[in-house]
Amino acid sequence: MPAPVLAALKSFKALQPKEKPALGEAYGDSGYVLVHETGEAFTIKQLRRGAYRLMEILGLRRVRLYDARSSCLTYLANNGVPDHILARWAGHTNVKTTKKWYVKPDVEDLREAATTWDGLHGVVTEGQA
């Protein structure tokens, strides 16, 4: 897990013992790290809204979380992370699912493939000689 993510999760987890006494038995030990002050887990919709709000506050382009997930997995794949590790990171039991739905070539990948194809036909491209 990336260090900044781990640090954030640890800080969230450290809040739970401080919040629990305020509610006593009403505090729900859900077992999750990202929880409300009541200990109940956030819903997907709540997490999505929070992420979009944070993107807006930080002045970032709004990106769907699944697109961000795909970008992260593509980045890892393009930087040599083995397929079985990508699948595990994504929580998939089948590597094919990860590769089919989440790992996408970017424009530079396609450009490199086109340049390679030109080489097959003997076409000299810019930068070659």
Side-chain angles (χ1 to χ4, degrees):
M1 181 173 299
V5 174
L6 182 59
L9 291 174
K10 284 183 177 182
S11 70
F12 287 130
K13 188 68 175 168
L15 288 175
Q16 291 178 2
K18 297 172 185 171
E19 293 172 340
K20 189 174 183 174
L23 288 178
E25 290 185 26
Y27 187 86
D29 274 324
S30 64
Y32 290 98
V33 175
L34 293 176
V35 296
H36 293 277
E37 300 83 17
T38 62
E40 295 300 317
F42 286 103
T43 65
I44 297 296
K45 188 175 185 177
Q46 291 167 329
L47 290 171
R48 187 180 307 116
R49 282 184 183 163
Y52 291 156
R53 190 173 32 246
L54 186 58
M55 288 175 204
E56 185 177 334
I57 290 168
L58 296 174
L60 300 173
R61 181 173 57 95
R62 185 173 169 157
V63 178
R64 290 182 325 147
L65 296 182
Y66 273 104
D67 293 336
R69 174 183 167 104
S70 180
S71 294
C72 291
L73 291 166
T74 298
Y75 174 82
L76 293 172
N78 288 342
N79 284 280
V81 175
D83 292 348
H84 69 285
I85 301 296
L86 290 174
R88 184 72 185 265
W89 186 269
H92 299 149
T93 55
N94 188 331
V95 171
K96 290 179 184 179
T97 300
T98 309
K99 296 291 278 189
K100 180 178 180 180
W101 296 107
Y102 291 97
V103 178
K104 309 291 183 197
D106 64 17
V107 174
E108 291 307 313
D109 296 326
L110 298 174
R111 187 172 287 125
E112 186 177 325
T115 301
T116 301
W117 184 253
D118 284 343
L120 176 70
H121 298 287
V123 176
V124 177
T125 59
E126 188 178 324
Q128 293 181 338

